[in-house]
Amino acid sequence: MKSIITVFIFALLFSLSGYSQNPIIQTYYTADPAPMVYNGTVYLYTSHDEDSTVNNFFTMYDWRCYSSTDMVNWTDHGAVASLKSFAWLDKTNGAWAPQCIERNGRFYLYVPIHGEGISVLVADSPTGPFSDPLGKRLIETDHIWQDIDPTVYIDDNGQAYLYWGNPKLWYVKLNEDMVSYDQSIGQNGVISVEMTTEAFGAHKGRDGKPGPSYTEGPWFYKRNNLYYMVYAAAGIPEYIAYSTSTSPEGPWTYKGFVMERAPKLAFTNHSGIIDYKGNSYFFYHNEALAGGGGFRRSTCLEQFEYNPDGTIPLIVPTQEGVTKSVQNLNPFKRVEAETIAWSEGVKTKSDETVGVYVSNIDNNDFIKIRSVDLGKGAKKFAASVATVKSGTIEIRIDEKEGDLLGTLSVNGTGGAQSWKTLSTKIKAAKGVHDVFLVFKGEEGDLFNFDWWQFKK
């Protein structure tokens, strides 16, 4: 059962935000966003800050994945990998910023483990299961504590590059298998990038001496024959800056800030940039979610346009985030309950039977789904639920207290994992609307919720 104070904080946050879009994930604290476009879908990999910290420091055990085809609703695929994925690893904390890439139908998730360097996991699906192909770390250096924040890109000629590092920048040229690298160059294959102010900007350090602005969190990609290195900059608190090059190996030229320090940004920042369905998107994290802070961060998203010369404009963090979906959601096919634009109060869990589902549902919690195309109207609403208690799901449009289409009664199904499909008649509503599923019932956890669907 949630405390009265927690419910009040959530209610205050959402009343002030007007059900804003940022942060885009509300069920968990997520950071270090790494988007990947594959087969018409955006897959977003994140690190995961636990609700409770240990020793007032980053407390991170696993890596999560979300997906979207509209850039406003995000489907939770759960924790797709964790520190337990590495049988050789004797470490219980430190699952830091990941990035995933596809090659030849396989998916390679590069993950830094604080104090243990960079490792790689492999899967046949973007949502896993991921497994360890090496039985050891991928990157072996004498500066292992600085080996964090990997970013990976496959160039047009097929050569893959893996960059990483804090407070310097290194890279290797990955072999085609993506789990080894050319060790005939550099220092056993590792090349150190020359850290100059011309390449990465100028910043005065804690010792008062000027030096390169680059700090950590690189994001490496190519667009229109220009290579971009976007990174956390200017020390603590971190800005986001970028440099460009006409070669994947540099030399780099500093271009300026992408995002400056602003209220509700965490003292760290980490970005990811993609183009998707004709639009450009900038991912980052802040500490604006209720209970958030420097060690409890949340993923955010802004849409932007490159300048005509390919430079990146200064992007201002907003509560509104992405204001327009790139496609409408079809509610007449099964929609996972964990497909969420905004939510209050709920969490997600997973099991082997149904996968990821919505949990921790209390009275007056809700889920908002944006840009739902009701077409010429629906006659029924169906949902898969499991519970030992009773409650209801109110189906409303446009606002949490908006037009009530109908109410689904959820009675005891025989257990919290005993799933049943229930349905109810609803009144017709036409066109595109935001749909709010509002949960009602007695005090305490009401039920678990796996999927829903409108029927004509």
Side-chain angles (χ1 to χ4, degrees):
M1 182 180 69
K2 303 180 186 72
S3 70
I4 294 176
I5 293 177
T6 300
V7 172
F8 171 77
I9 291 173
F10 270 113
L12 176 61
L13 174 69
F14 297 139
S15 66
L16 291 175
S17 67
Y19 310 138
S20 62
Q21 184 68 23
N22 276 329
I24 61 174
I25 308 299
Q26 307 88 39
T27 50
Y28 287 91
Y29 295 112
T30 59
D32 308 313
M36 177 187 72
V37 179
Y38 174 73
N39 199 23
T41 297
V42 176
Y43 292 91
L44 176 65
Y45 300 86
T46 73
S47 58
H48 168 210
D49 291 336
E50 293 291 331
D51 290 0
S52 299
T53 61
V54 176
N55 298 325
N56 193 35
F57 191 63
F58 297 108
T59 307
M60 307 164 75
Y61 307 139
D62 54 31
W63 297 277
R64 302 186 65 84
C65 179
Y66 301 84
S67 68
S68 181
T69 56
D70 55 29
M71 302 307 289
V72 294
N73 299 300
W74 293 89
T75 301
D76 187 345
H77 297 283
V80 295
S82 74
L83 296 176
K84 295 179 180 179
S85 300
F86 301 99
W88 53 270
L89 181 66
D90 183 21
K91 195 173 183 67
T92 58
N93 191 10
W96 286 16
Q99 188 177 345
C100 188
I101 197 169
E102 179 269 343
R103 185 165 199 165
N104 298 329
R106 304 203 78 193
F107 299 86
Y108 300 87
L109 183 66
Y110 299 90
V111 295
I113 303 166
H114 186 221
E116 290 289 344
I118 294 169
S119 296
V120 61
L121 296 166
V122 184
D124 294 323
S125 163
T127 57
F130 284 90
S131 61
D132 176 11
L134 298 178
K136 63 179 183 178
R137 67 177 67 94
L138 171 64
I139 301 298
E140 299 275 1
T141 74
D142 58 3
H143 44 72
I144 192 169
W145 285 88
Q146 300 172 355
D147 294 342
I148 63 171
D149 299 347
T151 180
V152 60
Y153 177 74
I154 303 172
D155 207 358
D156 298 338
N157 63 1
Q159 178 61 61
Y161 294 85
L162 185 74
Y163 276 88
W164 73 90
N166 172 339
K168 297 181 180 180
L169 188 62
W170 295 272
Y171 73 89
V172 295
K173 298 175 72 170
L174 292 168
N175 295 325
E176 189 172 356
D177 65 8
M178 302 296 283
V179 298
S180 64
Y181 54 91
D182 181 356
Q183 298 196 23
S184 67
I185 56 177
Q187 183 68 32
N188 296 322
V190 177
I191 299 172
S192 180
V193 176
E194 186 177 4
M195 307 302 291
T196 66
T197 56
E198 291 78 15
F200 298 106
H203 168 68
K204 187 174 292 187
R206 294 178 181 177
D207 58 3
K209 297 179 180 179
S213 183
Y214 174 90
T215 304
E216 60 180 351
W219 182 262
F220 176 48
Y221 67 102
K222 181 182 181 181
R223 185 178 187 273
N224 294 340
N225 297 317
L226 191 63
Y227 296 87
Y228 293 77
M229 189 69 69
V230 185
Y231 46 88
I236 300 294
E238 292 176 343
Y239 290 41
I240 296 292
Y242 79 111
S243 303
T244 62
S245 176
T246 56
S247 165
E249 301 174 28
W252 297 96
T253 301
Y254 178 70
K255 291 296 183 178
F257 286 137
V258 176
M259 179 171 283
E260 295 180 335
R261 177 69 178 167
K264 294 298 183 182
L265 287 182
F267 67 86
T268 64
N269 207 341
H270 196 292
S271 61
I273 295 179
I274 57 169
D275 285 345
Y276 181 64
K277 294 185 178 180
N279 301 301
S280 299
Y281 296 95
F282 177 83
F283 293 78
Y284 61 104
H285 63 233
N286 70 12
E287 59 180 33
L289 198 64
F295 302 125
R296 288 186 294 272
R297 301 157 294 174
S298 294
T299 297
C300 296
L301 176 60
E302 307 290 345
Q303 186 174 336
F304 75 99
E305 293 184 4
Y306 287 86
N307 296 318
D309 62 357
T311 56
I312 303 174
L314 187 65
I315 299 172
V316 178
T318 69
Q319 284 188 334
E320 293 78 15
V322 174
T323 58
K324 186 177 181 180
S325 64
V326 294
Q327 72 176 43
N328 295 325
L329 184 143
N330 178 8
F332 297 104
K333 65 179 183 180
R334 169 172 161 160
V335 179
E336 297 300 317
E338 62 274 11
T339 298
I340 298 171
W342 192 263
S343 65
E344 176 180 338
V346 302
K347 288 280 194 181
T348 63
K349 294 180 180 178
S350 63
D351 66 20
E352 295 181 355
T353 302
V354 299
V356 180
Y357 60 89
V358 174
S359 64
N360 295 65
I361 297 173
D362 284 40
N363 179 54
N364 215 39
D365 288 351
F366 72 91
I367 292 172
K368 174 186 175 181
I369 309 98
R370 287 178 59 183
S371 300
V372 179
D373 189 354
L374 300 177
K376 296 181 179 180
K379 294 181 179 179
K380 288 186 177 181
F381 174 85
S384 176
V385 295
T387 181
V388 295
K389 299 174 68 174
S390 297
T392 62
I393 302 176
E394 294 180 350
I395 305 99
R396 297 180 178 271
I397 55 174
D398 300 326
E399 297 289 344
K400 182 185 175 184
E401 304 296 336
D403 190 14
L404 179 65
L405 301 187
T407 301
L408 177 67
S409 296
V410 179
N411 298 314
T413 64
Q417 297 299 318
S418 179
W419 297 93
K420 289 187 178 181
T421 300
L422 306 175
S423 64
T424 186
K425 292 183 179 180
I426 60 174
K427 71 177 184 180
K430 300 179 181 180
V432 178
H433 297 269
D434 293 343
V435 170
F436 286 75
L437 303 179
V438 185
F439 309 112
K440 300 288 186 178
E442 60 188 73
E443 185 178 1
D445 290 348
L446 296 176
F447 46 83
N448 293 325
F449 182 21
D450 185 28
W451 58 265
W452 60 270
Q453 183 176 359
F454 284 148
K455 297 185 178 182
K456 298 179 181 179

